[in-house]
């Protein structure tokens, strides 16, 4: 770091600008000196002058010097604006917003520091002039600035990427849950249809048992062989009934496992309870029939 707090590249740019401003200042001072020389050569040719003549010469000299100084100040202002234009244009390419503090332009301590820097830089006469030094164009930004800007942009994009990943993960989880719920509902519907089929089989079996009971009552007066056939049919019917009851019990256990977290579970359980009651009633009737 140098005296003004810049890196080497920016300090060289400041030196080039100070050389430019110094050369313009020297030219303007030469112009002012020539104004005085012209006055001496053109007007100061006599040994005595009246007060009006001296006043007239001073007013003329004042007007010329004032015009030169005003022109130099205006030109300096416009030159500084062009310099700021270059800096701001380069900053805008990288979406940067530079700020200036006008109050710092009147900081005596900083001004003295700049004056000391200029005095030190230009104190020897063997230094190269601005014409001898190549004037490179202003660099867009130093490497550190570009890296910092890119790092910030990368960090911002990484943060957005993480947010999108989290959002995608949430959506995937929701989609998976929805698919699982859909599968459960479809399976529950299939089980319900199967239970309905089993209920229809039970109803048909009840009708068959009732028919057999009626047939058995009608055939009490039949022969022993006929009575035996009826008993065999009754036994077969009981076996079928037990088999269906066993299937129904297995179906009920399976439904309890699959439907224990569904809304249809309670309804199906109530239906099965009613059917069990009906089966119990049939058993009671059969037992009464056997006893008779």
């Amino acid at each position: 770091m140098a005296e003004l707090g810049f890196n080497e590249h920016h300090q060289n740019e400041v030196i080039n600008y100070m050389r430019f401003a110094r050369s313009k200042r020297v030219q303007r001072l030469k112009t002012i000196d020539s104004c005085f020389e012209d006055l001496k050569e053109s007007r100061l040719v006599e040994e005595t002058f009246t007060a009006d003549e001296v006043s007239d010469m001073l007013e003329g000299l004042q007007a010329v010097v004032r015009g030169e100084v005003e022109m130099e100040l205006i030109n300096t202002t416009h030159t500084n604006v062009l310099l700021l234009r270059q800096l701001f244009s380069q900053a805008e390419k990288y979406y940067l917003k530079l700020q200036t503090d006008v109050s710092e332009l009147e900081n005596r301590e900083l001004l003295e520091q700049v004056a000391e820097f200029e005095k030190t830089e230009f104190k020897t006469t063997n230094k190269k002039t601005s014409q001898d030094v190549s004037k490179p164009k202003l660099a867009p930004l130093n490497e550190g600035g570009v890296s910092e800007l890119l790092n910030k942009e990368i960090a911002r994009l990484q943060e957005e990427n993480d947010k999108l990943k989290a959002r995608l993960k949430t959506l995937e989880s929701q989609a998976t849950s929805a698919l699982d719920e859909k599968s459960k509902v479809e399976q529950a519907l299939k089980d319900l249809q199967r239970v309905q089929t089993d209920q229809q089989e039970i109803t048909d079996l009840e009708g068959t048992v009732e028919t057999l009971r009626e047939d058995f009552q009608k055939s009490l007066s039949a022969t022993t062989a006929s009575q035996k056939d009826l008993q065999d049919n009754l036994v077969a019917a009981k076996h079928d009934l037990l088999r269906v009851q066993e299937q129904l019990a297995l179906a009920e256990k399976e439904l309890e496992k699959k439907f224990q977290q569904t809304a249809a579970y309670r309804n199906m359980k109530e239906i099965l309870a009613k059917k069990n009651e009906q089966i119990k009633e049939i058993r009671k009737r059969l037992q009464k029939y056997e006893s008779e």
Side-chain angles (χ1 to χ4, degrees):
M1 302 302 290
E3 293 84 345
L4 296 181
F6 301 137
N7 59 29
E8 183 179 358
H9 172 76
H10 288 164
Q11 179 167 304
N12 290 332
E13 295 296 331
V14 171
I15 292 173
N16 288 335
Y17 177 74
M18 293 178 70
R19 285 174 178 165
F20 169 76
R22 186 182 180 90
S23 65
K24 299 295 290 184
R25 184 169 66 248
V26 170
Q27 292 177 5
R28 192 58 59 187
L29 291 175
K30 288 181 179 180
T31 302
I32 294 176
D33 291 339
S34 66
C35 292
F36 284 88
E37 292 296 330
D38 291 340
L39 178 63
K40 292 178 182 179
E41 294 176 359
S42 62
R43 302 294 299 273
L44 299 180
V45 295
E46 301 179 3
E47 295 181 358
T48 58
F49 294 92
T50 64
D52 293 336
E53 290 175 341
V54 173
S55 176
D56 182 58
M57 286 187 292
L58 290 178
E59 289 178 359
L61 180 61
Q62 179 185 6
V64 174
V65 173
R66 178 183 176 85
E68 292 293 335
V69 173
E70 183 180 10
M71 183 181 298
E72 176 62 19
L73 292 175
I74 294 174
N75 184 65
T76 301
T77 301
H78 294 172
T79 302
N80 291 333
V81 171
L82 292 179
L83 181 63
L84 291 175
R85 177 178 178 273
Q86 294 182 44
L87 297 176
F88 291 158
S89 297
Q90 294 180 43
E92 289 176 359
K93 292 181 180 179
Y94 291 89
Y95 304 99
L96 299 178
K97 294 182 179 180
L98 303 182
Q99 294 181 347
T100 58
D101 188 357
V102 181
S103 62
E104 290 293 324
L105 300 179
E106 296 181 353
N107 190 322
R108 299 305 306 174
E109 183 179 355
L110 294 179
L111 290 175
E112 291 176 359
Q113 185 178 356
V114 173
E116 184 65 25
F117 175 78
E118 182 180 9
K119 185 186 298 183
T120 303
E121 184 67 26
F122 298 99
K123 64 181 179 179
T124 57
T125 57
N126 58 354
K127 287 196 172 186
K128 294 182 180 181
T129 61
S130 59
Q131 290 79 9
D132 298 330
V133 180
S134 60
K135 297 180 180 179
K137 294 182 179 180
L138 292 176
L141 280 174
N142 56 63
E143 184 177 356
V146 175
S147 299
E148 183 178 359
L149 182 63
L150 291 177
N151 289 333
K152 289 182 179 179
E153 184 65 16
I154 291 173
R156 184 183 66 80
L157 294 176
Q158 185 65 36
E159 183 178 359
E160 292 183 358
N161 189 29
D162 294 338
K163 291 181 180 179
L164 291 176
K165 286 182 178 179
R167 178 62 177 168
L168 179 60
K169 187 175 181 180
T170 303
L171 293 177
E172 289 178 350
S173 178
Q174 293 177 354
T176 303
S177 300
L179 290 175
D180 293 341
E181 188 66 23
K182 180 181 178 182
S183 300
K184 290 180 180 179
V185 172
E186 291 177 351
Q187 186 64 34
L189 180 61
K190 291 180 181 179
D191 294 338
L192 180 61
Q193 292 175 351
R194 187 172 62 184
V195 169
Q196 290 177 350
T197 302
D198 293 339
Q199 290 177 354
Q200 183 64 36
E201 290 179 358
I202 292 173
T203 302
D204 295 340
L205 183 58
E206 289 177 351
T208 303
V209 172
E210 182 66 21
T211 302
L212 290 174
R213 187 180 67 81
E214 292 176 356
D215 293 340
F216 186 74
Q217 290 177 352
K218 292 179 181 180
S219 62
L220 287 176
S221 58
T223 62
T224 305
S226 298
Q227 186 176 1
K228 185 176 181 181
D229 292 335
L230 290 175
Q231 290 178 349
D232 292 337
N233 291 333
L234 180 60
V235 171
K238 289 176 66 176
H239 289 167
D240 292 337
L241 179 60
L242 293 174
R243 178 178 58 81
V244 173
Q245 289 177 349
E246 182 178 1
Q247 292 178 354
L248 183 60
L250 293 175
E252 183 178 0
K253 291 181 181 179
E254 187 176 357
L255 284 176
E256 287 179 355
K257 292 180 180 178
K258 293 182 179 180
F259 283 32
Q260 60 183 353
Q261 295 180 351
T262 62
Y265 175 74
R266 292 186 297 270
N267 296 333
M268 297 305 304
K269 190 173 182 180
E270 292 177 0
I271 294 173
L272 291 176
K274 291 180 181 180
K275 294 302 178 180
N276 287 333
E277 291 296 330
Q278 294 177 0
I279 292 174
K280 289 180 180 180
E281 183 66 24
I282 293 173
R283 286 179 179 177
K284 290 180 180 181
R285 294 177 182 179
L286 290 175
Q287 290 176 358
K288 181 178 179 182
Y289 177 76
E290 288 178 353
S291 63
E292 291 177 358

